[in-house]
Amino acid sequence: MRWSFIARIIGILLIFLGLSMIAPLLVSLHYHDLARDSFIQSMGITMVAGLILIILSKKRSSDNYINQKEGMATVALAWTAIGIFGALPFYLNPEFTNFTDAFFESVSGFTTTGSSVMTNIEGAAKSLLFWRSFIQWLGGMGIIVLSLAILPFLGVGGIQLYKAEVPSPVPDKLTPRLSDSAKILWVLYGIFTLIEIIFLLGGGMPLFEATCHALTTLPTGGFSPKNASIAQYNSAYFDYVIVIFMVLAGMNFSLHYQMLRGKTLAFWEDTECRFFLGLILVLTLLVTWDIYGSVYASIKDAFRFASFQVVSILTTTGFATADYEKFPGLSQVILFVCMFIGASAGSTGGGMKCARIIACFKYCYRELFKIIHPRSISQVKINNIVIPNEILRSIMGFLALYISLFILSGILLSGMGVDMMTAFGAVAACIGNIGPGFGSVGPTENFAHLPVLGKWVLAICMLIGRLEIYTVIILFVPEFWKK
């Protein structure tokens, strides 16, 4: 393990993070708020730390290839460092009284979880609210993926960094050159963000709020500059605009690229995309049927609020327009299950991913089929492509680890005095990078009241969920550190 090389990469990423603080600093100067000094200090500390790591690390060797072990270690440690230094603007601001809350908010932002400990969001400085949104936008497509696009030296052997960060069972390379693939992803990401800002402005939303909401919709993050989230506006137009962009963000970005290149049936021909869109339609109709009459007198309102909540949770965005804990039991169960399913592979969403769910169903069917026909030879296919057994084993292992971590973390929180509904609702929301959960961390509450140790557990769950479990968990396997 070349620790000096890893330290150098993390140092450069910290300098990049420090430079990114210029954006909220400009917002602070524009609005003349009190957060200016906190961003200047945070920028200085972050960039100095990055320079120290670069200086202390030995000069790079001519071999810049990063193997799988180094790639996983780099990504896990880099995201932890980014969460720590990204917390400085919060910690140095009067809104936050301790580092635990600042770190929780930072990790929640970068991992696009959207769980918050802020109790008076609208009372905070606008630049701090912009920073919350901006770090979600950076974390959505991936800070390292962005670095691969703009820092050429990371492109050498950077496929291991790409694999360890991109939320997908099998990350797609859109072009032969990794740096070109990263650029394409970020260009598409930026274009969608800009288009959403334009649509929100067209509905009358102020520029600052439209920008913040667009910066948190495309990464499926869910932070809002409003205490009541999207419910603050009570606007069907805003609801449907955001629903459309949440769906786009929850789809595999390689399909958007194929569509723009003229492959008009790209979405329909993709098994996972059909499953994802069909799931949204079926679950929305079920929730609409369940809440029509019992919660909303109008079928139009029932469909509007059902579609928003289903899409928001299934894509792991976490925006809210209604208190779904007041929905009937069937709707609450459906939304809870959505927390585990997640969006498509290759999207900015979290959760297990639809591709893994499809593969799991097909694998189970194959095993049942082989019991009936023991001599048969059957294969699991998605998009008419055979899924190798090693990938199937990886998927089954991922699902087993996901459920195990959910149960273990829920038990840990319950042991800290948190009621069972809140404990397991919070873990489901954090490991799935969703935001609001159930119980006292529902859509109308926040995470501020949880015990300090519980917030650290949930912050770790966010990182594990964002980095697809293996990247973090493997660091605790003794064999990983052996030569």
Side-chain angles (χ1 to χ4, degrees):
M1 193 81 73
R2 295 173 298 167
W3 289 109
S4 60
F5 189 42
I6 293 173
R8 186 178 182 85
I9 294 176
I10 295 174
I12 291 175
L13 290 174
L14 287 180
I15 290 176
F16 175 79
L17 177 65
L19 291 173
S20 70
M21 294 178 187
I22 293 174
L25 177 59
L26 293 175
V27 173
S28 179
L29 293 173
H30 175 74
Y31 287 104
H32 304 287
D33 61 35
L34 301 177
R36 180 193 63 185
D37 291 344
S38 65
F39 283 109
I40 293 174
Q41 293 169 19
S42 301
M43 189 188 308
I45 295 170
T46 304
M47 295 183 72
V48 168
L51 284 172
I52 291 173
L53 283 177
I54 293 172
I55 293 170
L56 293 180
S57 61
K58 297 177 182 178
K59 186 177 180 181
R60 287 187 299 143
S61 65
S62 58
D63 181 14
N64 293 330
Y65 176 75
I66 302 172
N67 61 39
Q68 188 174 28
K69 287 175 63 175
E70 290 173 340
M72 287 186 166
T74 300
V75 170
L77 295 174
W79 273 77
T80 303
I82 286 168
I84 292 171
F85 286 93
L88 291 177
F90 298 113
Y91 180 61
L92 297 174
N93 196 282
E95 294 291 328
F96 291 80
T97 57
N98 59 76
F99 186 76
T100 295
D101 284 352
F103 180 73
F104 184 94
E105 198 79 11
S106 173
V107 171
S108 180
F110 282 111
T111 59
T112 73
T113 303
S115 302
S116 181
V117 294
M118 294 182 67
T119 54
N120 183 20
I121 295 172
E122 292 176 38
K126 286 189 178 293
S127 57
L128 196 66
L129 298 181
F130 178 82
W131 178 241
R132 289 171 83 238
S133 301
F134 190 54
I135 60 178
Q136 286 204 324
W137 193 75
L138 289 175
M141 190 59 68
I143 295 171
I144 291 174
V145 173
L146 175 59
S147 302
L148 292 172
I150 63 177
L151 300 175
F153 90 95
L154 284 177
V156 182
I159 185 63
Q160 300 302 340
L161 300 179
Y162 183 77
K163 285 181 178 179
E165 185 181 54
V166 172
S168 173
V170 184
D172 295 325
K173 282 179 65 178
L174 305 182
T175 63
R177 293 186 60 185
L178 182 60
S179 60
D180 290 340
S181 295
K183 288 174 185 176
I184 289 169
L185 288 172
W186 271 94
V187 167
L188 287 172
Y189 191 55
I191 289 173
F192 282 144
T193 304
L194 182 60
I195 293 173
E196 185 183 356
I197 291 173
I198 293 171
F199 272 97
L200 293 177
L201 288 173
M205 187 180 289
L207 177 61
F208 176 79
E209 295 170 18
T211 301
C212 287
H213 284 123
L215 289 176
T216 55
T217 301
L218 268 302
T220 63
F223 273 156
S224 171
K226 294 294 183 180
N227 289 327
S229 189
I230 307 302
Q232 181 81 25
Y233 303 97
N234 192 24
S235 166
Y237 173 81
F238 289 150
D239 288 1
Y240 285 122
V241 166
I242 291 173
V243 162
I244 290 170
F245 282 94
M246 285 193 293
V247 171
L248 291 173
M251 297 165 72
N252 193 323
F253 270 70
S254 67
L255 298 179
H256 297 312
Y257 177 64
Q258 292 176 35
M259 185 74 173
L260 292 175
R261 285 178 62 96
K263 193 175 180 180
T264 54
L265 297 177
F267 298 118
W268 177 250
E269 292 175 351
D270 186 77
T271 302
E272 184 188 30
C273 187
R274 293 199 305 270
F275 178 84
F276 174 63
L277 295 177
L279 198 62
I280 289 175
L281 178 61
V282 171
L283 295 182
T284 295
L285 292 177
L286 280 173
V287 175
T288 300
W289 171 78
D290 194 39
I291 64 177
Y292 174 52
S294 59
V295 181
Y296 299 100
S298 163
I299 187 69
K300 184 170 69 172
D301 286 342
F303 178 80
R304 169 188 159 192
F305 289 103
S307 62
F308 193 97
Q309 264 53 241
V310 167
V311 172
S312 180
I313 293 180
L314 191 62
T315 60
T316 72
T317 306
F319 283 137
T321 56
D323 185 359
Y324 51 73
E325 289 189 297
K326 294 181 179 178
F327 287 2
L330 175 62
S331 295
Q332 291 193 45
V333 170
I334 289 172
L335 294 177
F336 186 70
V337 171
C338 285
M339 288 184 170
F340 292 87
I341 297 173
S344 301
S347 70
T348 59
M352 293 179 174
K353 303 294 188 304
C354 290
R356 290 192 179 96
I357 302 298
I358 295 170
C360 180
F361 284 150
K362 291 194 172 187
Y363 176 82
C364 292
Y365 178 81
R366 185 184 74 171
E367 295 305 303
L368 291 172
F369 185 83
K370 290 183 74 173
I371 292 174
I372 301 171
H373 304 283
R375 295 185 178 181
S376 66
I377 299 175
S378 58
Q379 297 172 316
V380 174
K381 294 182 179 180
I382 296 180
N383 294 331
N384 293 321
I385 298 174
V386 175
I387 307 299
N389 285 329
E390 61 183 33
I391 292 180
L392 287 174
R393 285 195 299 269
S394 175
I395 290 172
M396 295 304 117
F398 175 92
L399 298 179
L401 280 172
Y402 196 102
I403 298 300
S404 300
L405 287 167
F406 165 71
I407 294 172
L408 176 61
S409 301
I411 292 172
L412 285 174
L413 253 67
S414 297
M416 299 174 196
V418 180
D419 67 274
M420 187 174 71
M421 177 65 76
T422 299
F424 284 94
V427 172
C430 289
I431 200 171
N433 302 139
I434 295 156
F438 282 86
S440 62
V441 293
T444 59
E445 291 90 12
N446 60 35
F447 290 67
H449 64 282
L450 295 179
V452 171
L453 185 57
K455 291 174 184 175
W456 284 96
V457 169
L458 292 176
I460 293 170
C461 285
M462 294 179 205
L463 284 169
I464 289 174
R466 173 59 181 83
L467 298 180
E468 301 278 90
I469 295 183
Y470 284 127
T471 302
V472 178
I473 293 297
I474 203 167
L475 299 181
F476 297 94
V477 177
E479 286 75 14
F480 180 81
W481 302 103
K482 294 180 180 179
K483 291 184 180 180

PDB file of all heavy atoms in Angstrom, residues 348-375:
ATOM      1  N   THR A 348     -27.624   9.111  -9.471  1.00  0.00           N
ATOM      2  CA  THR A 348     -27.078   9.761  -8.279  1.00  0.00           C
ATOM      3  C   THR A 348     -27.810   9.299  -7.021  1.00  0.00           C
ATOM      4  O   THR A 348     -27.553   9.803  -5.939  1.00  0.00           O
ATOM      5  CB  THR A 348     -27.172  11.294  -8.395  1.00  0.00           C
ATOM      6  OG1 THR A 348     -28.552  11.663  -8.559  1.00  0.00           O
ATOM      7  CG2 THR A 348     -26.369  11.804  -9.572  1.00  0.00           C
ATOM      8  N   GLY A 349     -28.752   8.361  -7.181  1.00  0.00           N
ATOM      9  CA  GLY A 349     -29.537   7.886  -6.051  1.00  0.00           C
ATOM     10  C   GLY A 349     -28.804   6.861  -5.208  1.00  0.00           C
ATOM     11  O   GLY A 349     -27.776   6.315  -5.605  1.00  0.00           O
ATOM     12  N   GLY A 350     -29.372   6.587  -4.043  1.00  0.00           N
ATOM     13  CA  GLY A 350     -28.786   5.613  -3.132  1.00  0.00           C
ATOM     14  C   GLY A 350     -29.614   4.350  -3.072  1.00  0.00           C
ATOM     15  O   GLY A 350     -30.265   3.968  -4.037  1.00  0.00           O
ATOM     16  N   GLY A 351     -29.623   3.695  -1.899  1.00  0.00           N
ATOM     17  CA  GLY A 351     -30.378   2.461  -1.741  1.00  0.00           C
ATOM     18  C   GLY A 351     -29.673   1.265  -2.354  1.00  0.00           C
ATOM     19  O   GLY A 351     -28.513   1.334  -2.760  1.00  0.00           O
ATOM     20  N   MET A 352     -30.398   0.153  -2.423  1.00  0.00           N
ATOM     21  CA  MET A 352     -29.812  -1.083  -2.959  1.00  0.00           C
ATOM     22  C   MET A 352     -29.607  -1.019  -4.467  1.00  0.00           C
ATOM     23  O   MET A 352     -28.752  -1.716  -5.004  1.00  0.00           O
ATOM     24  CB  MET A 352     -30.709  -2.274  -2.614  1.00  0.00           C
ATOM     25  CG  MET A 352     -30.762  -2.591  -1.135  1.00  0.00           C
ATOM     26  SD  MET A 352     -31.873  -3.984  -0.816  1.00  0.00           S
ATOM     27  CE  MET A 352     -31.610  -4.240   0.931  1.00  0.00           C
ATOM     28  N   LYS A 353     -30.395  -0.247  -5.164  1.00  0.00           N
ATOM     29  CA  LYS A 353     -30.412  -0.085  -6.624  1.00  0.00           C
ATOM     30  C   LYS A 353     -31.302  -1.140  -7.281  1.00  0.00           C
ATOM     31  O   LYS A 353     -31.275  -2.322  -6.937  1.00  0.00           O
ATOM     32  CB  LYS A 353     -29.012  -0.136  -7.238  1.00  0.00           C
ATOM     33  CG  LYS A 353     -28.039   0.883  -6.685  1.00  0.00           C
ATOM     34  CD  LYS A 353     -28.437   2.298  -7.033  1.00  0.00           C
ATOM     35  CE  LYS A 353     -27.378   3.311  -6.663  1.00  0.00           C
ATOM     36  NZ  LYS A 353     -26.967   3.293  -5.264  1.00  0.00           N
ATOM     37  N   CYS A 354     -32.068  -0.688  -8.251  1.00  0.00           N
ATOM     38  CA  CYS A 354     -33.010  -1.557  -8.955  1.00  0.00           C
ATOM     39  C   CYS A 354     -32.300  -2.707  -9.660  1.00  0.00           C
ATOM     40  O   CYS A 354     -32.834  -3.816  -9.740  1.00  0.00           O
ATOM     41  CB  CYS A 354     -33.810  -0.733  -9.970  1.00  0.00           C
ATOM     42  SG  CYS A 354     -34.977   0.421  -9.204  1.00  0.00           S
ATOM     43  N   ALA A 355     -31.091  -2.457 -10.186  1.00  0.00           N
ATOM     44  CA  ALA A 355     -30.364  -3.510 -10.899  1.00  0.00           C
ATOM     45  C   ALA A 355     -30.090  -4.689  -9.975  1.00  0.00           C
ATOM     46  O   ALA A 355     -30.196  -5.851 -10.385  1.00  0.00           O
ATOM     47  CB  ALA A 355     -29.054  -2.962 -11.455  1.00  0.00           C
ATOM     48  N   ARG A 356     -29.731  -4.425  -8.727  1.00  0.00           N
ATOM     49  CA  ARG A 356     -29.458  -5.499  -7.780  1.00  0.00           C
ATOM     50  C   ARG A 356     -30.747  -6.239  -7.416  1.00  0.00           C
ATOM     51  O   ARG A 356     -30.737  -7.462  -7.233  1.00  0.00           O
ATOM     52  CB  ARG A 356     -28.791  -4.944  -6.522  1.00  0.00           C
ATOM     53  CG  ARG A 356     -27.367  -4.460  -6.730  1.00  0.00           C
ATOM     54  CD  ARG A 356     -26.690  -4.206  -5.387  1.00  0.00           C
ATOM     55  NE  ARG A 356     -25.320  -3.752  -5.556  1.00  0.00           N
ATOM     56  CZ  ARG A 356     -24.940  -2.492  -5.552  1.00  0.00           C
ATOM     57  NH1 ARG A 356     -25.841  -1.537  -5.379  1.00  0.00           N
ATOM     58  NH2 ARG A 356     -23.678  -2.154  -5.718  1.00  0.00           N
ATOM     59  N   ILE A 357     -31.850  -5.503  -7.280  1.00  0.00           N
ATOM     60  CA  ILE A 357     -33.124  -6.134  -6.958  1.00  0.00           C
ATOM     61  C   ILE A 357     -33.537  -7.080  -8.082  1.00  0.00           C
ATOM     62  O   ILE A 357     -33.973  -8.216  -7.841  1.00  0.00           O
ATOM     63  CB  ILE A 357     -34.221  -5.066  -6.730  1.00  0.00           C
ATOM     64  CG1 ILE A 357     -33.823  -4.100  -5.598  1.00  0.00           C
ATOM     65  CG2 ILE A 357     -35.560  -5.731  -6.427  1.00  0.00           C
ATOM     66  CD1 ILE A 357     -33.650  -4.745  -4.252  1.00  0.00           C
ATOM     67  N   ILE A 358     -33.395  -6.631  -9.335  1.00  0.00           N
ATOM     68  CA  ILE A 358     -33.728  -7.468 -10.489  1.00  0.00           C
ATOM     69  C   ILE A 358     -32.853  -8.710 -10.510  1.00  0.00           C
ATOM     70  O   ILE A 358     -33.337  -9.835 -10.692  1.00  0.00           O
ATOM     71  CB  ILE A 358     -33.550  -6.674 -11.802  1.00  0.00           C
ATOM     72  CG1 ILE A 358     -34.549  -5.521 -11.866  1.00  0.00           C
ATOM     73  CG2 ILE A 358     -33.731  -7.585 -13.021  1.00  0.00           C
ATOM     74  CD1 ILE A 358     -34.285  -4.545 -13.011  1.00  0.00           C
ATOM     75  N   ALA A 359     -31.550  -8.516 -10.317  1.00  0.00           N
ATOM     76  CA  ALA A 359     -30.615  -9.644 -10.327  1.00  0.00           C
ATOM     77  C   ALA A 359     -30.946 -10.628  -9.211  1.00  0.00           C
ATOM     78  O   ALA A 359     -30.865 -11.850  -9.404  1.00  0.00           O
ATOM     79  CB  ALA A 359     -29.183  -9.140 -10.178  1.00  0.00           C
ATOM     80  N   CYS A 360     -31.333 -10.125  -8.053  1.00  0.00           N
ATOM     81  CA  CYS A 360     -31.679 -10.981  -6.915  1.00  0.00           C
ATOM     82  C   CYS A 360     -32.909 -11.827  -7.238  1.00  0.00           C
ATOM     83  O   CYS A 360     -32.924 -13.044  -6.987  1.00  0.00           O
ATOM     84  CB  CYS A 360     -31.935 -10.128  -5.677  1.00  0.00           C
ATOM     85  SG  CYS A 360     -32.366 -11.070  -4.203  1.00  0.00           S
ATOM     86  N   PHE A 361     -33.946 -11.202  -7.804  1.00  0.00           N
ATOM     87  CA  PHE A 361     -35.158 -11.943  -8.173  1.00  0.00           C
ATOM     88  C   PHE A 361     -34.844 -13.023  -9.201  1.00  0.00           C
ATOM     89  O   PHE A 361     -35.303 -14.164  -9.090  1.00  0.00           O
ATOM     90  CB  PHE A 361     -36.211 -10.987  -8.734  1.00  0.00           C
ATOM     91  CG  PHE A 361     -36.916 -10.167  -7.690  1.00  0.00           C
ATOM     92  CD1 PHE A 361     -37.394  -8.899  -7.981  1.00  0.00           C
ATOM     93  CD2 PHE A 361     -37.101 -10.667  -6.411  1.00  0.00           C
ATOM     94  CE1 PHE A 361     -38.040  -8.145  -7.012  1.00  0.00           C
ATOM     95  CE2 PHE A 361     -37.749  -9.916  -5.436  1.00  0.00           C
ATOM     96  CZ  PHE A 361     -38.219  -8.650  -5.740  1.00  0.00           C
ATOM     97  N   LYS A 362     -34.052 -12.666 -10.202  1.00  0.00           N
ATOM     98  CA  LYS A 362     -33.730 -13.635 -11.253  1.00  0.00           C
ATOM     99  C   LYS A 362     -32.849 -14.761 -10.715  1.00  0.00           C
ATOM    100  O   LYS A 362     -32.994 -15.921 -11.121  1.00  0.00           O
ATOM    101  CB  LYS A 362     -33.044 -12.929 -12.428  1.00  0.00           C
ATOM    102  CG  LYS A 362     -33.985 -11.998 -13.201  1.00  0.00           C
ATOM    103  CD  LYS A 362     -33.395 -11.589 -14.543  1.00  0.00           C
ATOM    104  CE  LYS A 362     -34.417 -10.832 -15.372  1.00  0.00           C
ATOM    105  NZ  LYS A 362     -33.940 -10.575 -16.742  1.00  0.00           N
ATOM    106  N   TYR A 363     -31.953 -14.436  -9.811  1.00  0.00           N
ATOM    107  CA  TYR A 363     -31.091 -15.451  -9.195  1.00  0.00           C
ATOM    108  C   TYR A 363     -31.935 -16.431  -8.376  1.00  0.00           C
ATOM    109  O   TYR A 363     -31.746 -17.659  -8.464  1.00  0.00           O
ATOM    110  CB  TYR A 363     -30.052 -14.771  -8.313  1.00  0.00           C
ATOM    111  CG  TYR A 363     -29.162 -15.722  -7.548  1.00  0.00           C
ATOM    112  CD1 TYR A 363     -28.049 -16.310  -8.152  1.00  0.00           C
ATOM    113  CD2 TYR A 363     -29.437 -16.040  -6.215  1.00  0.00           C
ATOM    114  CE1 TYR A 363     -27.231 -17.190  -7.452  1.00  0.00           C
ATOM    115  CE2 TYR A 363     -28.627 -16.910  -5.504  1.00  0.00           C
ATOM    116  CZ  TYR A 363     -27.529 -17.473  -6.130  1.00  0.00           C
ATOM    117  OH  TYR A 363     -26.727 -18.350  -5.429  1.00  0.00           O
ATOM    118  N   CYS A 364     -32.871 -15.898  -7.584  1.00  0.00           N
ATOM    119  CA  CYS A 364     -33.731 -16.759  -6.771  1.00  0.00           C
ATOM    120  C   CYS A 364     -34.598 -17.645  -7.655  1.00  0.00           C
ATOM    121  O   CYS A 364     -34.792 -18.837  -7.353  1.00  0.00           O
ATOM    122  CB  CYS A 364     -34.608 -15.911  -5.851  1.00  0.00           C
ATOM    123  SG  CYS A 364     -33.692 -15.053  -4.551  1.00  0.00           S
ATOM    124  N   TYR A 365     -35.112 -17.075  -8.751  1.00  0.00           N
ATOM    125  CA  TYR A 365     -35.920 -17.869  -9.678  1.00  0.00           C
ATOM    126  C   TYR A 365     -35.079 -18.989 -10.295  1.00  0.00           C
ATOM    127  O   TYR A 365     -35.547 -20.118 -10.448  1.00  0.00           O
ATOM    128  CB  TYR A 365     -36.498 -16.978 -10.770  1.00  0.00           C
ATOM    129  CG  TYR A 365     -37.319 -17.753 -11.788  1.00  0.00           C
ATOM    130  CD1 TYR A 365     -38.638 -18.102 -11.515  1.00  0.00           C
ATOM    131  CD2 TYR A 365     -36.766 -18.144 -13.009  1.00  0.00           C
ATOM    132  CE1 TYR A 365     -39.392 -18.831 -12.431  1.00  0.00           C
ATOM    133  CE2 TYR A 365     -37.507 -18.868 -13.936  1.00  0.00           C
ATOM    134  CZ  TYR A 365     -38.820 -19.208 -13.636  1.00  0.00           C
ATOM    135  OH  TYR A 365     -39.560 -19.931 -14.542  1.00  0.00           O
ATOM    136  N   ARG A 366     -33.825 -18.664 -10.646  1.00  0.00           N
ATOM    137  CA  ARG A 366     -32.952 -19.677 -11.232  1.00  0.00           C
ATOM    138  C   ARG A 366     -32.730 -20.832 -10.258  1.00  0.00           C
ATOM    139  O   ARG A 366     -32.723 -22.007 -10.656  1.00  0.00           O
ATOM    140  CB  ARG A 366     -31.602 -19.067 -11.625  1.00  0.00           C
ATOM    141  CG  ARG A 366     -30.686 -20.047 -12.355  1.00  0.00           C
ATOM    142  CD  ARG A 366     -29.322 -19.447 -12.636  1.00  0.00           C
ATOM    143  NE  ARG A 366     -28.503 -19.348 -11.429  1.00  0.00           N
ATOM    144  CZ  ARG A 366     -27.211 -19.021 -11.435  1.00  0.00           C
ATOM    145  NH1 ARG A 366     -26.600 -18.732 -12.589  1.00  0.00           N
ATOM    146  NH2 ARG A 366     -26.530 -18.942 -10.317  1.00  0.00           N
ATOM    147  N   GLU A 367     -32.524 -20.506  -8.981  1.00  0.00           N
ATOM    148  CA  GLU A 367     -32.301 -21.547  -7.991  1.00  0.00           C
ATOM    149  C   GLU A 367     -33.539 -22.426  -7.816  1.00  0.00           C
ATOM    150  O   GLU A 367     -33.431 -23.648  -7.663  1.00  0.00           O
ATOM    151  CB  GLU A 367     -31.902 -20.924  -6.644  1.00  0.00           C
ATOM    152  CG  GLU A 367     -30.565 -20.207  -6.676  1.00  0.00           C
ATOM    153  CD  GLU A 367     -29.438 -21.100  -7.168  1.00  0.00           C
ATOM    154  OE1 GLU A 367     -29.227 -22.163  -6.552  1.00  0.00           O
ATOM    155  OE2 GLU A 367     -28.785 -20.744  -8.163  1.00  0.00           O
ATOM    156  N   LEU A 368     -34.731 -21.819  -7.844  1.00  0.00           N
ATOM    157  CA  LEU A 368     -35.968 -22.598  -7.755  1.00  0.00           C
ATOM    158  C   LEU A 368     -36.132 -23.487  -8.987  1.00  0.00           C
ATOM    159  O   LEU A 368     -36.547 -24.648  -8.887  1.00  0.00           O
ATOM    160  CB  LEU A 368     -37.168 -21.659  -7.615  1.00  0.00           C
ATOM    161  CG  LEU A 368     -37.285 -20.887  -6.302  1.00  0.00           C
ATOM    162  CD1 LEU A 368     -38.397 -19.854  -6.381  1.00  0.00           C
ATOM    163  CD2 LEU A 368     -37.541 -21.843  -5.135  1.00  0.00           C
ATOM    164  N   PHE A 369     -35.792 -22.922 -10.145  1.00  0.00           N
ATOM    165  CA  PHE A 369     -35.901 -23.664 -11.408  1.00  0.00           C
ATOM    166  C   PHE A 369     -34.963 -24.873 -11.392  1.00  0.00           C
ATOM    167  O   PHE A 369     -35.319 -25.962 -11.861  1.00  0.00           O
ATOM    168  CB  PHE A 369     -35.564 -22.734 -12.570  1.00  0.00           C
ATOM    169  CG  PHE A 369     -35.759 -23.359 -13.926  1.00  0.00           C
ATOM    170  CD1 PHE A 369     -37.018 -23.394 -14.517  1.00  0.00           C
ATOM    171  CD2 PHE A 369     -34.689 -23.911 -14.621  1.00  0.00           C
ATOM    172  CE1 PHE A 369     -37.200 -23.967 -15.764  1.00  0.00           C
ATOM    173  CE2 PHE A 369     -34.858 -24.492 -15.863  1.00  0.00           C
ATOM    174  CZ  PHE A 369     -36.128 -24.521 -16.436  1.00  0.00           C
ATOM    175  N   LYS A 370     -33.765 -24.696 -10.831  1.00  0.00           N
ATOM    176  CA  LYS A 370     -32.787 -25.774 -10.802  1.00  0.00           C
ATOM    177  C   LYS A 370     -33.198 -26.887  -9.824  1.00  0.00           C
ATOM    178  O   LYS A 370     -32.781 -28.036  -9.969  1.00  0.00           O
ATOM    179  CB  LYS A 370     -31.412 -25.232 -10.429  1.00  0.00           C
ATOM    180  CG  LYS A 370     -30.789 -24.368 -11.533  1.00  0.00           C
ATOM    181  CD  LYS A 370     -29.399 -23.899 -11.181  1.00  0.00           C
ATOM    182  CE  LYS A 370     -28.394 -25.027 -11.278  1.00  0.00           C
ATOM    183  NZ  LYS A 370     -27.004 -24.543 -11.101  1.00  0.00           N
ATOM    184  N   ILE A 371     -33.996 -26.546  -8.816  1.00  0.00           N
ATOM    185  CA  ILE A 371     -34.507 -27.577  -7.914  1.00  0.00           C
ATOM    186  C   ILE A 371     -35.474 -28.496  -8.668  1.00  0.00           C
ATOM    187  O   ILE A 371     -35.474 -29.721  -8.501  1.00  0.00           O
ATOM    188  CB  ILE A 371     -35.204 -26.935  -6.695  1.00  0.00           C
ATOM    189  CG1 ILE A 371     -34.179 -26.222  -5.813  1.00  0.00           C
ATOM    190  CG2 ILE A 371     -35.962 -27.989  -5.885  1.00  0.00           C
ATOM    191  CD1 ILE A 371     -34.784 -25.438  -4.672  1.00  0.00           C
ATOM    192  N   ILE A 372     -36.283 -27.874  -9.531  1.00  0.00           N
ATOM    193  CA  ILE A 372     -37.239 -28.650 -10.329  1.00  0.00           C
ATOM    194  C   ILE A 372     -36.538 -29.382 -11.472  1.00  0.00           C
ATOM    195  O   ILE A 372     -36.851 -30.521 -11.786  1.00  0.00           O
ATOM    196  CB  ILE A 372     -38.330 -27.713 -10.891  1.00  0.00           C
ATOM    197  CG1 ILE A 372     -39.063 -27.012  -9.741  1.00  0.00           C
ATOM    198  CG2 ILE A 372     -39.318 -28.487 -11.752  1.00  0.00           C
ATOM    199  CD1 ILE A 372     -40.001 -25.915 -10.192  1.00  0.00           C
ATOM    200  N   HIS A 373     -35.562 -28.709 -12.090  1.00  0.00           N
ATOM    201  CA  HIS A 373     -34.811 -29.285 -13.211  1.00  0.00           C
ATOM    202  C   HIS A 373     -33.316 -29.271 -12.859  1.00  0.00           C
ATOM    203  O   HIS A 373     -32.572 -28.400 -13.310  1.00  0.00           O
ATOM    204  CB  HIS A 373     -35.056 -28.494 -14.499  1.00  0.00           C
ATOM    205  CG  HIS A 373     -36.503 -28.380 -14.856  1.00  0.00           C
ATOM    206  ND1 HIS A 373     -37.214 -29.410 -15.415  1.00  0.00           N
ATOM    207  CD2 HIS A 373     -37.376 -27.338 -14.724  1.00  0.00           C
ATOM    208  CE1 HIS A 373     -38.467 -29.016 -15.624  1.00  0.00           C
ATOM    209  NE2 HIS A 373     -38.593 -27.764 -15.209  1.00  0.00           N
ATOM    210  N   PRO A 374     -32.863 -30.208 -12.030  1.00  0.00           N
ATOM    211  CA  PRO A 374     -31.478 -30.176 -11.522  1.00  0.00           C
ATOM    212  C   PRO A 374     -30.396 -30.282 -12.595  1.00  0.00           C
ATOM    213  O   PRO A 374     -29.270 -29.850 -12.366  1.00  0.00           O
ATOM    214  CB  PRO A 374     -31.418 -31.369 -10.566  1.00  0.00           C
ATOM    215  CG  PRO A 374     -32.549 -32.249 -10.964  1.00  0.00           C
ATOM    216  CD  PRO A 374     -33.612 -31.349 -11.481  1.00  0.00           C
ATOM    217  N   ARG A 375     -30.712 -30.839 -13.756  1.00  0.00           N
ATOM    218  CA  ARG A 375     -29.708 -30.991 -14.804  1.00  0.00           C
ATOM    219  C   ARG A 375     -29.705 -29.840 -15.809  1.00  0.00           C
ATOM    220  O   ARG A 375     -28.922 -29.832 -16.750  1.00  0.00           O
ATOM    221  CB  ARG A 375     -29.932 -32.311 -15.556  1.00  0.00           C
ATOM    222  CG  ARG A 375     -29.714 -33.546 -14.704  1.00  0.00           C
ATOM    223  CD  ARG A 375     -29.832 -34.811 -15.519  1.00  0.00           C
ATOM    224  NE  ARG A 375     -29.583 -36.001 -14.695  1.00  0.00           N
ATOM    225  CZ  ARG A 375     -29.609 -37.238 -15.173  1.00  0.00           C
ATOM    226  NH1 ARG A 375     -29.873 -37.450 -16.461  1.00  0.00           N
ATOM    227  NH2 ARG A 375     -29.372 -38.253 -14.363  1.00  0.00           N
TER     228      ARG A 375
END
